[in-house]
Amino acid sequence: MISLSLPRPDYQGDKTNDTIVEIRAETKRIGPGRVDHRLVLDASSSGRPLWSKEVVFLVDAPFDIPDLKNLDPFVIAALFPTMEVGGTLRVHGAVSRTLIRNVLDYQSVWHLVSPDLFKPFDLEVETVDDSPVEQRASRPRTILAFSAGVDSMLALCRNASGDTGEAGYQIDAGMLIRGMGVAPGSRQDPVELTEDRRRICARWDVPLAVIDTDVYEITEKPLAMFGSWLSACLTLFSGSFDVGLIGSSEVWYAPGWEIWGSHPLLDPMLSSGQMAIRNDEGLFERAEKVALLARYPRALEDLRVCFNGQEGMPNCCRCEKCVRTMLGFIASGNEVPPAFPKPLRLQDVGRDMRSELGLKWTPQTLECARQSGTLDHPAIKLLRRRYRVKLVKFTIKRWVRRLITGKKPSRLHILDSLYPIPKRAFSASRGPLTDGD
């Protein structure tokens, strides 16, 4: 085993933490484009087992998928479960040198920002993969993480249409993680969901690969982990594509920057030797993205932001994400698009503004309304009034929390305590894929 530690002069490893998390992976090829990956994580301390977790990645793609050259995707998937216990991450296989360097930096950032939640770990690998990268085309082949939400839809529209010019990406395929971001009570059939997203991508001549995985269940901090979910799944296609693209959910320059989930400054740290992870559209706030989407008629029909999902209905028009997006269109001076079949109800405006997440997006929407001259719209006036009330209550609660604990809570602490992410709706099959699946 080759042992590596954080490249910081003041870090010599936690000698008191003898926890070891071991990674093993198995792959079964079912056919062209159909692969069953299994990741096994075993944690032990002083020789005593702590826990064992199995993660399933069932891949179904309309194109051939070469064999993986190393265990890079599985190392990315194991980062947060390991940071929750610290110690040593031991990889039984090869890891690319590029990812090793990035992983050491990535976990150092999370530890510095939230040391109570995430512990640094040493890394042990059997082999360092220094295999040369194949010659890439002048415009790298790119696969986009695609859910048809605001972030990924704008990345698809702007790049596939050529509106990003020479600075854009050539979108050669999309990737859907089935069930990601869908609430447990959703009535949306997984097959219907998949066919809907494939139809949307087909309108842009983009084939869509689908992954069923339960990677969401291996950490207690899903809001922190979702950027690594996307990167791990994208890296499964590293033999076919040069770039894995994530539609940015944050902007580069957000004031009071605090990391969580996916961020344009963090996602590239999960690049491996065979695939570069990139974050797209990080120059735009969410309200600005909604205004840009209004320029694409296809997007106005195909936008899918809903957590709840209803049979035969793309968006419920009542959940927090639906209401937030509809308000974005109104604030930018546009009509609510046909992707939202029900009108916005005033009683739903600001109803779910019970966390810093709601307080974060509301100022963006109000600023967009100010610039667009829509502040007098009844929904925007109500949003502004309820925002002010919630802001006062939330500020008092935050200061009380600080007085009790003696320290300022990070945004991650607040989100996990006040706005938990629901468990996934669709469970990946625990059995192997068969030719009849």
Side-chain angles (χ1 to χ4, degrees):
M1 285 283 180
I2 302 171
S3 182
L4 308 107
S5 296
L6 288 179
R8 295 182 58 206
D10 59 338
Y11 178 75
Q12 302 299 322
D14 186 354
K15 306 304 181 184
T16 64
N17 190 345
D18 61 357
T19 302
I20 297 176
V21 179
E22 299 189 74
I23 289 181
R24 294 178 176 84
E26 297 179 356
T27 295
K28 180 180 179 181
R29 182 172 293 278
I30 310 301
R34 308 184 71 215
V35 185
D36 182 353
H37 296 289
R38 302 291 167 117
L39 166 64
V40 178
L41 301 175
D42 292 307
S44 62
S45 179
S46 302
R48 298 188 305 273
L50 294 179
W51 46 257
S52 181
K53 301 177 181 181
E54 182 186 53
V55 184
V56 182
F57 297 93
L58 305 179
V59 182
D60 185 6
F63 44 80
D64 290 338
I65 303 175
D67 293 334
L68 293 172
K69 294 184 177 181
N70 48 50
L71 300 187
D72 287 358
F74 311 112
V75 172
I76 297 172
L79 291 179
F80 279 90
T82 306
M83 285 191 286
E84 288 173 1
V85 296
T88 300
L89 177 61
R90 182 174 294 166
V91 183
H92 293 273
V95 182
S96 70
R97 188 177 300 276
T98 301
L99 184 62
I100 288 173
R101 293 169 179 159
N102 285 335
V103 159
L104 294 175
D105 286 338
Y106 186 82
Q107 54 126 335
S108 180
V109 172
W110 280 100
H111 172 63
L112 290 171
V113 170
S114 192
D116 294 337
L117 294 179
F118 302 112
K119 303 175 180 64
F121 60 84
D122 295 330
L123 182 63
E124 292 184 0
V125 301
E126 282 187 354
T127 310
V128 177
D129 181 12
D130 279 320
S131 58
V133 178
E134 297 180 5
Q135 184 66 34
R136 292 178 177 173
S138 56
R139 195 158 193 180
R141 289 176 55 80
T142 301
I143 182 169
L144 168 68
F146 185 75
S147 65
V150 170
D151 303 322
S152 62
M153 181 64 81
L154 184 62
L156 175 65
C157 291
R158 280 172 47 82
N159 286 287
S161 65
D163 287 350
T164 51
E166 293 301 318
Y169 296 91
Q170 176 180 304
I171 307 297
D172 298 284
M175 179 202 70
L176 171 69
I177 303 179
R178 190 153 65 183
M180 183 174 178
V182 180
S186 172
R187 297 194 295 273
Q188 202 166 19
D189 180 74
V191 176
E192 178 187 344
L193 179 146
T194 302
E195 293 306 312
D196 178 66
R197 302 316 190 264
R198 280 183 172 152
R199 178 191 60 78
I200 293 171
C201 286
R203 299 182 70 178
W204 296 93
D205 296 323
V206 172
L208 182 70
V210 179
I211 294 183
D212 273 300
T213 178
D214 50 6
V215 68
Y216 330 105
E217 299 176 0
I218 64 173
T219 178
E220 297 178 354
K221 303 297 177 186
L223 279 169
M225 188 184 172
F226 76 87
S228 64
W229 298 342
L230 295 170
S231 299
C233 291
L234 287 168
T235 308
L236 292 172
F237 300 96
S238 57
S240 301
F241 302 94
D242 307 313
V243 175
L245 194 62
I246 299 174
S248 179
S249 57
E250 294 288 326
V251 292
W252 293 90
Y253 52 91
W257 179 69
E258 292 176 316
I259 62 173
W260 75 297
S262 170
H263 193 281
L265 294 177
L266 279 183
D267 294 341
M269 287 186 180
L270 297 176
S271 298
S272 62
Q274 303 296 319
M275 174 174 280
I277 301 298
R278 294 291 178 263
N279 200 290
D280 196 42
E281 308 299 346
L283 293 175
F284 306 110
E285 300 274 11
R286 185 176 179 90
E288 294 175 310
K289 290 183 177 182
V290 170
L292 285 172
L293 280 174
R295 303 177 183 180
Y296 300 94
R298 298 181 196 176
L300 300 182
E301 299 176 8
D302 296 333
L303 191 61
R304 307 285 186 263
V305 302
C306 189
F307 273 142
N308 298 326
Q310 306 236 349
E311 187 175 353
M313 186 178 295
N315 298 293
C316 74
C317 307
R318 300 291 179 259
C319 71
E320 182 271 333
K321 283 200 73 176
C322 282
V323 171
R324 186 201 324 172
T325 308
M326 295 165 78
L327 284 169
F329 281 103
I330 293 172
S332 60
N334 293 287
E335 297 290 334
V336 176
F340 300 91
K342 297 180 181 178
L344 177 68
R345 300 186 306 187
L346 290 181
Q347 66 196 67
D348 295 324
V349 174
R351 184 183 61 186
D352 292 333
M353 198 185 299
R354 64 180 184 272
S355 73
E356 191 170 354
L357 180 62
L359 296 177
K360 174 178 178 292
W361 66 259
T362 305
Q364 303 170 12
T365 303
L366 293 176
E367 175 60 19
C368 179
R370 186 190 67 79
Q371 295 182 11
S372 304
T374 58
L375 285 174
D376 289 334
H377 190 284
I380 301 300
K381 291 172 67 175
L382 181 59
L383 177 67
R384 182 167 55 176
R385 185 165 65 249
R386 290 182 174 174
Y387 166 71
R388 289 171 176 170
V389 173
K390 293 291 184 181
L391 181 60
V392 171
K393 291 182 178 179
F394 189 85
T395 302
I396 294 173
K397 187 170 186 176
R398 186 176 183 128
W399 277 102
V400 169
R401 189 185 188 119
R402 184 172 185 176
L403 289 173
I404 293 174
T405 62
K407 58 185 177 181
K408 181 180 178 181
S410 71
R411 177 179 168 197
L412 184 62
H413 293 78
I414 294 170
L415 285 175
D416 277 356
S417 62
L418 300 181
Y419 201 82
I421 292 295
K423 286 288 186 180
R424 57 195 297 270
F426 308 121
S427 296
S429 169
R430 285 289 178 176
L433 286 170
T434 64
D435 290 337
D437 289 339

